[in-house]
Coordinates of all heavy atoms in Angstrom, one line a residue:
M776 N 0.8 -1.2 0.0 CA 0.0 0.0 0.0 C 0.9 1.2 -0.1 O 1.8 1.3 0.7 CB -0.8 0.0 1.2 CG -1.6 1.3 1.6 SD -2.3 1.4 3.1 CE -2.8 -0.3 3.6
T777 N 0.6 2.2 -0.9 CA 1.4 3.4 -0.9 C 0.4 4.5 -0.5 O -0.8 4.5 -0.9 CB 2.0 3.7 -2.2 OG1 1.0 3.7 -3.3 CG2 3.0 2.6 -2.7
F778 N 1.0 5.6 0.0 CA 0.2 6.8 0.4 C 1.1 7.9 0.6 O 2.3 7.8 0.9 CB -0.7 6.5 1.6 CG 0.2 6.3 2.8 CD1 0.5 7.2 3.8 CD2 0.6 4.9 3.1 CE1 1.2 6.9 4.9 CE2 1.3 4.6 4.2 CZ 1.6 5.5 5.1
S779 N 0.5 9.1 0.5 CA 1.2 10.4 0.9 C 0.3 11.2 1.8 O -0.7 10.9 2.1 CB 1.4 11.2 -0.3 OG 2.2 10.6 -1.4
V780 N 1.1 12.0 2.6 CA 0.3 12.8 3.8 C 0.3 14.3 3.3 O 1.3 14.8 2.8 CB 0.8 12.5 5.1 CG1 0.7 11.1 5.5 CG2 2.4 12.8 5.1
S781 N -0.7 15.1 3.7 CA -0.8 16.4 3.3 C -0.2 17.3 4.5 O 0.1 18.5 4.3 CB -2.3 16.7 3.1 OG -3.1 16.5 4.3
R782 N 0.0 16.7 5.6 CA 0.6 17.5 6.6 C 1.4 16.5 7.6 O 1.0 15.3 7.7 CB -0.4 18.3 7.5 CG -1.4 17.5 8.2 CD -2.5 18.3 8.9 NE -3.6 17.6 9.4 CZ -3.7 17.0 10.5 NH1 -2.6 17.1 11.3 NH2 -4.7 16.3 10.9
A783 N 2.3 16.9 8.3 CA 3.1 16.0 9.2 C 2.1 15.5 10.3 O 1.3 16.1 10.8 CB 4.2 16.8 9.9
C784 N 2.4 14.1 10.5 CA 1.5 13.5 11.5 C 2.2 12.1 11.9 O 3.4 11.9 11.4 CB 0.2 13.1 10.9 SG 0.1 12.1 9.4
W785 N 1.7 11.4 12.8 CA 2.2 10.2 13.3 C 1.3 9.0 12.8 O 0.1 9.1 12.9 CB 2.2 10.2 14.8 CG 3.3 11.1 15.3 CD1 3.2 12.6 15.6 CD2 4.6 10.9 15.8 NE1 4.2 13.0 16.0 CE2 5.1 12.0 16.2 CE3 5.3 9.7 15.8 CZ2 6.5 12.1 16.6 CZ3 6.7 9.7 16.2 CH2 7.3 10.9 16.7
M786 N 1.9 8.0 12.5 CA 1.3 6.7 12.2 C 1.3 6.0 13.6 O 2.4 5.7 14.2 CB 2.0 5.8 11.1 CG 1.3 4.5 10.9 SD 2.1 3.5 9.7 CE 1.5 4.4 8.3
V787 N 0.1 5.8 14.0 CA -0.1 5.1 15.4 C -0.5 3.8 15.5 O -0.5 3.1 16.5 CB -1.0 6.1 16.2 CG1 -0.5 7.4 16.4 CG2 -2.4 6.0 15.7
G788 N -0.8 3.3 14.2 CA -1.1 1.8 14.2 C -1.5 1.3 12.9 O -1.7 2.0 12.0
V789 N -1.5 0.0 12.7 CA -2.0 -0.7 11.6 C -3.0 -1.7 12.0 O -2.7 -2.5 12.7 CB -0.7 -1.4 10.9 CG1 -1.2 -2.2 9.7 CG2 0.3 -0.3 10.5
N790 N -4.1 -1.7 11.2 CA -5.2 -2.6 11.4 C -5.0 -3.7 10.4 O -4.8 -3.4 9.1 CB -6.6 -2.0 11.4 CG -6.8 -1.0 12.4 OD1 -6.3 -1.1 13.6 ND2 -7.5 -0.1 12.2
H791 N -5.0 -5.0 10.7 CA -4.9 -6.0 9.6 C -5.9 -7.1 9.8 O -6.1 -7.4 11.0 CB -3.4 -6.4 9.4 CG -2.9 -7.0 10.6 ND1 -2.3 -6.1 11.7 CD2 -2.7 -8.1 11.2 CE1 -1.8 -6.9 12.6 NE2 -2.1 -8.1 12.4
Y792 N -6.3 -7.6 8.7 CA -7.2 -8.7 8.8 C -6.4 -10.0 8.6 O -5.7 -10.1 7.6 CB -8.4 -8.7 7.8 CG -9.3 -9.9 7.9 CD1 -10.2 -10.1 8.8 CD2 -9.1 -10.9 6.9 CE1 -11.1 -11.1 8.8 CE2 -10.0 -12.0 6.9 CZ -10.9 -12.2 7.9 OH -11.7 -13.2 8.1
I793 N -6.5 -11.0 9.5 CA -5.8 -12.2 9.4 C -6.8 -13.3 8.9 O -7.8 -13.7 9.6 CB -5.2 -12.6 10.6 CG1 -4.2 -11.5 11.1 CG2 -4.4 -13.9 10.6 CD1 -3.7 -11.7 12.5
Y794 N -6.6 -13.9 7.6 CA -7.5 -14.9 7.1 C -7.3 -16.2 7.9 O -6.3 -16.6 8.5 CB -7.1 -15.2 5.7 CG -7.3 -14.1 4.7 CD1 -6.2 -13.3 4.3 CD2 -8.5 -13.7 4.3 CE1 -6.4 -12.2 3.5 CE2 -8.7 -12.7 3.5 CZ -7.7 -11.9 3.0 OH -7.8 -10.9 2.2
T795 N -8.4 -16.9 8.0 CA -8.4 -18.2 8.6 C -7.4 -19.1 7.8 O -7.4 -19.2 6.6 CB -9.8 -18.8 8.6 OG1 -10.7 -17.9 9.3 CG2 -9.9 -20.3 9.2
G796 N -6.6 -19.9 8.5 CA -5.6 -20.6 7.9 C -4.1 -20.0 7.7 O -3.2 -20.6 7.3
D797 N -4.1 -18.6 8.0 CA -2.8 -17.9 7.9 C -1.9 -18.5 9.0 O -2.4 -18.7 10.1 CB -3.1 -16.5 8.1 CG -3.4 -15.7 6.7 OD1 -3.6 -16.4 5.7 OD2 -3.6 -14.5 6.9
N798 N -0.7 -18.4 8.7 CA 0.3 -18.7 9.7 C 0.5 -17.4 10.6 O 0.8 -16.3 10.1 CB 1.7 -18.9 9.0 CG 2.8 -19.4 9.9 OD1 2.8 -18.8 11.1 ND2 3.8 -20.1 9.6
T799 N 0.3 -17.5 11.8 CA 0.2 -16.4 12.7 C 1.5 -16.2 13.5 O 1.6 -15.6 14.6 CB -0.9 -16.3 13.6 OG1 -1.0 -17.6 14.4 CG2 -2.2 -16.2 12.9
D800 N 2.6 -17.1 13.2 CA 3.8 -17.1 14.0 C 4.6 -15.8 13.9 O 5.1 -15.4 14.9 CB 4.7 -18.2 13.5 CG 4.1 -19.7 13.8 OD1 3.2 -19.7 14.7 OD2 4.5 -20.6 13.3
Q801 N 4.6 -15.2 12.7 CA 5.5 -14.0 12.6 C 4.9 -13.0 11.5 O 4.8 -13.5 10.3 CB 6.9 -14.3 12.4 CG 7.8 -13.2 12.5 CD 9.3 -13.6 12.3 OE1 9.6 -14.1 11.2 NE2 10.1 -13.1 13.1
W802 N 4.8 -11.8 11.7 CA 4.4 -10.8 10.8 C 5.6 -9.8 10.8 O 6.0 -9.4 11.9 CB 3.1 -10.1 11.1 CG 1.9 -11.0 11.0 CD1 1.6 -12.1 11.7 CD2 0.9 -10.8 10.1 NE1 0.4 -12.7 11.2 CE2 0.0 -12.0 10.2 CE3 0.7 -10.0 9.0 CZ2 -1.1 -12.1 9.3 CZ3 -0.5 -10.1 8.2 CH2 -1.3 -11.2 8.4
V803 N 5.8 -9.2 9.7 CA 6.8 -8.1 9.6 C 6.2 -6.9 9.0 O 5.6 -6.9 7.9 CB 8.1 -8.4 8.7 CG1 9.1 -7.3 8.7 CG2 8.8 -9.7 9.3
F804 N 6.2 -5.8 9.6 CA 5.5 -4.5 9.2 C 6.8 -3.5 8.9 O 7.6 -3.3 9.7 CB 4.7 -3.9 10.4 CG 3.6 -4.8 10.9 CD1 3.7 -5.7 11.8 CD2 2.3 -4.5 10.3 CE1 2.6 -6.5 12.1 CE2 1.3 -5.4 10.6 CZ 1.4 -6.2 11.7
Q805 N 6.7 -3.0 7.7 CA 7.8 -2.1 7.3 C 7.2 -0.9 6.6 O 6.2 -1.0 5.9 CB 8.7 -2.8 6.2 CG 9.4 -4.0 6.9 CD 10.3 -4.8 5.9 OE1 11.5 -4.8 6.1 NE2 9.6 -5.4 5.0
I806 N 7.8 0.3 6.9 CA 7.5 1.6 6.2 C 8.7 1.9 5.4 O 9.8 2.0 5.8 CB 7.2 2.6 7.2 CG1 6.0 2.3 8.2 CG2 6.9 4.0 6.5 CD1 5.8 3.1 9.3
W807 N 8.3 2.3 4.1 CA 9.4 2.6 3.1 C 9.2 4.0 2.6 O 8.1 4.5 2.4 CB 9.3 1.7 2.0 CG 9.5 0.1 2.3 CD1 8.4 -0.6 2.8 CD2 10.7 -0.6 2.4 NE1 9.0 -1.9 3.1 CE2 10.3 -1.9 2.7 CE3 12.0 -0.3 1.9 CZ2 11.2 -2.9 2.8 CZ3 12.9 -1.4 2.0 CH2 12.5 -2.6 2.4
D808 N 10.3 4.7 2.2 CA 10.2 5.9 1.4 C 10.4 5.5 0.0 O 11.4 5.0 -0.4 CB 11.4 6.9 1.9 CG 11.6 8.1 1.1 OD1 10.8 8.2 0.0 OD2 12.3 9.0 1.4
M809 N 9.3 5.6 -0.8 CA 9.4 5.2 -2.2 C 10.3 6.0 -3.0 O 10.7 5.4 -4.1 CB 8.0 5.4 -2.9 CG 6.8 4.7 -2.1 SD 7.2 2.8 -2.2 CE 7.1 2.6 -4.0
A810 N 10.9 7.0 -2.6 CA 12.1 7.6 -3.4 C 13.4 7.3 -2.7 O 14.4 7.7 -3.2 CB 11.9 9.2 -3.5
G811 N 13.4 6.5 -1.7 CA 14.7 6.2 -1.0 C 15.2 4.8 -1.3 O 14.9 4.3 -2.5
S812 N 15.7 4.2 -0.4 CA 16.4 2.9 -0.6 C 15.3 1.9 -0.8 O 14.4 1.7 -0.1 CB 17.3 2.6 0.7 OG 17.7 1.2 0.7
A813 N 15.7 0.9 -1.8 CA 14.9 -0.1 -2.1 C 15.2 -1.3 -1.1 O 14.4 -2.3 -1.3 CB 15.0 -0.7 -3.5
T814 N 16.3 -1.3 -0.4 CA 16.6 -2.4 0.6 C 16.5 -2.1 2.0 O 16.6 -3.1 2.8 CB 18.0 -2.8 0.1 OG1 18.9 -1.8 0.3 CG2 18.1 -3.4 -1.2
V815 N 16.5 -0.9 2.4 CA 16.5 -0.6 3.7 C 15.2 0.2 4.3 O 15.0 1.4 3.7 CB 17.8 0.4 4.1 CG1 17.8 0.8 5.6 CG2 19.1 -0.3 3.8
P816 N 14.4 -0.3 5.0 CA 13.1 0.3 5.2 C 13.3 1.6 6.2 O 14.4 1.5 7.1 CB 12.3 -0.7 5.9 CG 13.2 -1.7 6.5 CD 14.4 -1.6 5.5
L817 N 12.4 2.5 6.3 CA 12.6 3.6 7.4 C 12.3 3.1 8.7 O 12.8 3.5 9.6 CB 11.6 4.7 7.0 CG 11.7 5.5 5.7 CD1 10.6 6.4 5.4 CD2 13.1 6.2 5.7
H818 N 11.4 2.0 8.7 CA 10.9 1.5 10.0 C 10.6 0.0 9.8 O 10.0 -0.4 8.8 CB 9.6 2.3 10.6 CG 9.1 1.7 11.8 ND1 9.6 1.9 13.0 CD2 8.1 0.9 11.9 CE1 8.9 1.4 14.0 NE2 8.0 0.6 13.4
R819 N 11.0 -0.8 10.7 CA 10.7 -2.3 10.6 C 10.3 -2.8 11.9 O 11.0 -2.4 13.0 CB 12.0 -3.0 10.2 CG 11.8 -4.6 10.1 CD 13.1 -5.1 9.7 NE 12.9 -6.6 9.8 CZ 12.6 -7.4 8.9 NH1 12.3 -7.0 7.6 NH2 12.5 -8.8 9.0
H820 N 9.3 -3.5 12.0 CA 8.8 -4.1 13.3 C 8.2 -5.6 13.0 O 7.5 -5.8 12.2 CB 7.6 -3.2 13.9 CG 7.0 -3.7 15.1 ND1 7.7 -3.6 16.4 CD2 6.0 -4.4 15.5 CE1 6.9 -4.2 17.3 NE2 5.9 -4.7 16.6
T821 N 8.8 -6.4 13.9 CA 8.4 -7.8 13.7 C 7.5 -8.1 15.0 O 7.9 -7.8 16.1 CB 9.6 -8.7 13.7 OG1 10.4 -8.3 12.6 CG2 9.3 -10.1 13.5
T822 N 6.5 -8.9 14.8 CA 5.6 -9.3 15.8 C 5.5 -10.8 15.7 O 5.5 -11.4 14.7 CB 4.3 -8.7 15.8 OG1 3.6 -9.0 17.0 CG2 3.4 -8.9 14.6
A823 N 5.4 -11.5 16.8 CA 5.2 -12.9 16.8 C 4.1 -13.3 17.8 O 4.0 -12.7 18.9 CB 6.5 -13.6 17.3
G824 N 3.2 -14.3 17.5 CA 2.2 -14.8 18.3 C 1.2 -13.7 18.8 O 1.2 -12.6 18.4
G825 N 0.2 -14.1 19.3 CA -0.9 -13.2 19.8 C -1.9 -12.8 18.8 O -2.7 -12.0 19.0
L826 N -1.6 -13.4 17.6 CA -2.6 -13.1 16.4 C -3.6 -14.2 16.2 O -3.3 -15.3 16.3 CB -1.7 -12.8 15.1 CG -0.6 -11.8 15.2 CD1 0.2 -11.7 14.0 CD2 -1.2 -10.4 15.5
V827 N -4.8 -13.7 16.0 CA -5.9 -14.7 15.8 C -6.4 -14.8 14.4 O -6.7 -13.8 13.8 CB -7.0 -14.4 16.7 CG1 -8.2 -15.4 16.6 CG2 -6.6 -14.2 18.2
A828 N -6.3 -15.9 13.7 CA -6.8 -16.1 12.4 C -8.3 -15.9 12.3 O -9.1 -16.2 13.3 CB -6.3 -17.4 11.8
G829 N -8.8 -15.3 11.3 CA -10.2 -15.0 11.1 C -10.7 -13.8 11.8 O -11.8 -13.6 12.0
A830 N -9.7 -12.9 12.2 CA -10.0 -11.7 13.0 C -9.2 -10.5 12.5 O -8.2 -10.6 12.0 CB -9.9 -11.9 14.4
T831 N -9.7 -9.3 12.8 CA -8.9 -8.1 12.6 C -8.0 -7.8 13.9 O -8.7 -8.0 15.0 CB -9.8 -6.9 12.3 OG1 -10.5 -7.2 11.1 CG2 -9.0 -5.6 12.1
S832 N -6.8 -7.6 13.7 CA -5.9 -7.3 14.8 C -5.3 -5.9 14.6 O -5.3 -5.4 13.5 CB -4.8 -8.3 14.9 OG -4.0 -8.1 15.9
R833 N -4.8 -5.3 15.7 CA -4.1 -4.0 15.6 C -2.8 -4.1 16.0 O -2.4 -4.6 17.2 CB -5.0 -2.9 16.4 CG -4.2 -1.6 16.3 CD -5.2 -0.6 17.1 NE -4.7 0.8 17.2 CZ -4.8 1.7 16.1 NH1 -5.3 1.3 15.0 NH2 -4.2 2.8 16.2
E834 N -1.8 -3.6 15.2 CA -0.4 -3.6 15.5 C 0.0 -2.2 15.7 O -0.1 -1.4 14.9 CB 0.4 -4.2 14.3 CG 1.8 -4.3 14.6 CD 2.3 -5.2 15.8 OE1 1.5 -6.2 15.9 OE2 3.3 -5.0 16.3
P835 N 0.3 -1.8 16.9 CA 0.9 -0.5 17.2 C 2.1 0.0 16.5 O 3.2 -1.0 16.5 CB 1.1 -0.4 18.7 CG 1.3 -1.8 19.2 CD 0.6 -2.7 18.2
L836 N 2.1 1.0 15.8 CA 3.5 1.5 15.2 C 3.5 3.0 15.3 O 2.6 3.8 14.9 CB 3.2 1.2 13.6 CG 3.4 -0.2 13.1 CD1 3.0 -0.2 11.6 CD2 4.8 -0.8 13.4
L837 N 4.4 3.5 16.0 CA 4.6 4.8 16.3 C 5.6 5.4 15.3 O 6.9 5.0 15.6 CB 5.0 5.1 17.7 CG 5.0 6.7 18.2 CD1 3.6 7.2 18.0 CD2 5.4 6.7 19.7
F838 N 5.3 6.0 14.3 CA 6.3 6.6 13.3 C 5.8 7.9 12.9 O 4.6 8.0 12.4 CB 6.4 5.4 12.2 CG 7.5 5.9 11.2 CD1 8.8 5.6 11.4 CD2 7.2 6.6 10.0 CE1 9.8 6.0 10.6 CE2 8.2 7.0 9.1 CZ 9.5 6.6 9.3
K839 N 6.8 8.9 12.8 CA 6.5 10.1 12.4 C 6.5 10.3 10.8 O 7.5 9.8 10.2 CB 7.4 11.2 12.9 CG 6.9 12.7 12.7 CD 7.9 13.6 13.3 CE 7.3 15.0 13.1 NZ 8.0 16.1 13.9
L840 N 5.3 10.8 10.3 CA 5.2 10.8 8.8 C 5.4 12.4 8.4 O 4.9 13.2 9.0 CB 3.9 10.4 8.3 CG 3.5 9.0 8.6 CD1 2.0 8.7 8.2 CD2 4.4 8.1 7.9
A841 N 6.3 12.6 7.4 CA 6.5 14.0 6.9 C 5.8 14.2 5.6 O 5.5 13.3 4.9 CB 8.0 14.1 6.7
T842 N 5.5 15.5 5.3 CA 4.9 15.9 4.1 C 5.9 15.8 2.9 O 7.1 15.8 3.1 CB 4.4 17.4 4.1 OG1 5.5 18.2 4.4 CG2 3.3 17.5 5.2
G843 N 5.3 15.6 1.8 CA 6.2 15.5 0.5 C 6.9 14.1 0.3 O 7.7 14.1 -0.6
I844 N 6.5 13.2 1.1 CA 7.2 11.9 0.9 C 6.0 10.8 0.6 O 4.9 10.9 1.1 CB 7.9 11.4 2.2 CG1 9.0 12.3 2.4 CG2 8.3 9.9 2.0 CD1 9.8 12.0 3.7
T845 N 6.2 10.0 -0.5 CA 5.3 8.9 -0.7 C 5.9 7.7 0.0 O 6.9 7.3 -0.2 CB 5.2 8.6 -2.1 OG1 4.6 9.8 -2.8 CG2 4.2 7.5 -2.4
Y846 N 5.0 7.1 0.9 CA 5.4 6.0 1.7 C 4.7 4.7 1.3 O 3.7 4.8 0.6 CB 4.8 6.2 3.2 CG 5.5 7.3 4.0 CD1 5.0 8.6 4.1 CD2 6.7 7.2 4.6 CE1 5.5 9.6 4.7 CE2 7.4 8.2 5.3 CZ 6.6 9.5 5.4 OH 7.2 10.5 6.0
M847 N 5.3 3.6 1.5 CA 4.8 2.4 1.3 C 4.8 1.6 2.6 O 5.8 1.5 3.3 CB 5.5 1.6 0.2 CG 4.8 0.1 0.0 SD 5.7 -0.8 -1.3 CE 7.2 -1.3 -0.5
L848 N 3.7 1.0 2.9 CA 3.5 0.2 4.1 C 3.5 -1.2 3.6 O 2.6 -1.6 2.8 CB 2.2 0.5 4.9 CG 1.9 -0.5 6.1 CD1 2.9 -0.4 7.2 CD2 0.5 -0.1 6.5
S849 N 4.4 -2.0 4.0 CA 4.4 -3.5 3.6 C 4.2 -4.4 4.8 O 4.8 -4.0 5.9 CB 5.6 -3.8 2.8 OG 6.7 -3.9 3.6
V850 N 3.4 -5.3 4.7 CA 3.2 -6.3 5.8 C 3.3 -7.7 5.2 O 2.6 -8.0 4.3 CB 1.6 -6.2 6.3 CG1 1.4 -7.1 7.5 CG2 1.3 -4.6 6.7
T851 N 4.1 -8.4 5.8 CA 4.4 -9.8 5.2 C 4.3 -10.9 6.3 O 4.7 -10.6 7.4 CB 5.8 -9.8 4.5 OG1 6.7 -9.5 5.4 CG2 5.9 -9.0 3.4
N852 N 3.8 -12.0 5.9 CA 4.0 -13.2 6.7 C 4.0 -14.4 5.7 O 4.1 -14.2 4.6 CB 2.8 -13.3 7.7 CG 1.5 -13.7 7.1 OD1 1.3 -13.6 5.8 ND2 0.6 -14.2 7.8
V853 N 4.0 -15.5 6.4 CA 4.2 -16.7 5.5 C 3.1 -17.0 4.5 O 3.2 -17.4 3.4 CB 4.4 -18.0 6.4 CG1 4.5 -19.3 5.6 CG2 5.7 -17.8 7.3
A854 N 1.8 -16.7 5.0 CA 0.7 -16.9 4.2 C -0.1 -15.8 3.7 O -1.2 -15.8 3.1 CB -0.3 -17.9 5.1
G855 N 0.5 -14.6 3.8 CA 0.0 -13.3 3.3 C -1.0 -12.7 4.3 O -1.1 -13.1 5.4
G856 N -1.9 -11.8 3.7 CA -2.8 -10.9 4.7 C -2.9 -9.6 4.1 O -2.4 -9.3 3.0
R857 N -3.8 -8.7 4.6 CA -4.0 -7.5 4.1 C -4.1 -6.4 5.2 O -4.5 -6.8 6.3 CB -5.3 -7.4 3.3 CG -6.5 -7.7 4.0 CD -7.7 -7.7 3.2 NE -8.9 -7.9 4.0 CZ -10.1 -8.3 3.5 NH1 -10.2 -8.6 2.2 NH2 -11.2 -8.4 4.2
S858 N -3.7 -5.2 4.9 CA -3.7 -4.2 6.1 C -4.2 -2.9 5.6 O -4.2 -2.6 4.4 CB -2.3 -4.1 6.6 OG -1.7 -5.2 7.2
T859 N -4.6 -2.1 6.4 CA -5.0 -0.7 6.3 C -4.2 0.2 7.1 O -3.8 -0.2 8.2 CB -6.5 -0.5 6.5 OG1 -6.7 -0.8 7.8 CG2 -7.3 -1.4 5.6
R860 N -3.9 1.4 6.7 CA -3.2 2.3 7.5 C -4.1 3.1 8.4 O -5.3 3.2 8.1 CB -2.3 3.3 6.7 CG -3.1 4.2 5.9 CD -2.3 5.1 5.1 NE -3.0 5.7 4.0 CZ -3.9 6.6 4.0 NH1 -4.4 7.0 5.2 NH2 -4.5 7.2 2.9
D861 N -3.7 3.6 9.5 CA -4.4 4.4 10.6 C -3.4 5.5 11.1 O -2.6 5.1 11.6 CB -4.9 3.5 11.6 CG -5.8 4.2 12.7 OD1 -6.2 5.3 12.4 OD2 -6.0 3.6 13.7
H862 N -3.7 6.7 10.6 CA -3.0 7.8 11.1 C -3.9 9.0 11.4 O -4.9 9.1 11.0 CB -1.8 8.1 10.2 CG -2.2 8.6 8.9 ND1 -2.6 7.8 7.8 CD2 -2.4 9.9 8.5 CE1 -2.9 8.7 6.8 NE2 -2.7 9.9 7.2

C-alpha cells in the first residue's frame, strides 16, 4: 500500500485482517520511502504470536510521517494478509 500525507503526522497503528488458515507465527511491518532505498526500510517491526486467524488485529506502530514523501507500508507473513493504515 502506498500513500502520501498532506501534513506532518504520526502513524499510530496498523489494522490488519488475518485470514483463517494464515500462519500467525510472525508478521513483519515495514514503512518505506518510495524515493529512497529499495533495500533499507525507514521502520521495521516484527511481531510474533498473539494474532488470531479470522479476525482483525491492531499492531501499534509509532512513526512520524513527513509531508512531501510517498510512503509504502508493507506487511508480510508466510501466508499473506491485508492491512490498512491508521494515522
Side-chain angles (χ1 to χ4, degrees):
M776 164 190 333
T777 60
F778 62 96
S779 298
V780 295
S781 59
R782 61 185 172 86
C784 59
W785 290 84
M786 179 178 287
V787 297
V789 176
N790 296 327
H791 55 279
Y792 178 79
I793 303 170
Y794 294 100
T795 301
D797 275 2
N798 182 327
T799 59
D800 290 340
Q801 186 179 59
W802 289 68
V803 179
F804 299 84
Q805 297 179 110
I806 300 171
W807 303 84
D808 177 348
M809 293 303 292
S812 172
T814 58
V815 180
L817 297 172
H818 178 81
R819 177 183 171 94
H820 178 75
T821 302
T822 185
L826 304 175
V827 179
T831 298
S832 181
R833 181 175 177 81
E834 181 67 26
L836 291 173
L837 187 60
F838 185 81
K839 188 172 185 177
L840 301 172
T842 57
I844 296 176
T845 300
Y846 295 97
M847 178 178 72
L848 173 66
S849 68
V850 183
T851 56
N852 77 339
V853 175
R857 66 181 179 199
S858 293
T859 59
R860 64 177 162 71
D861 179 15
H862 68 274

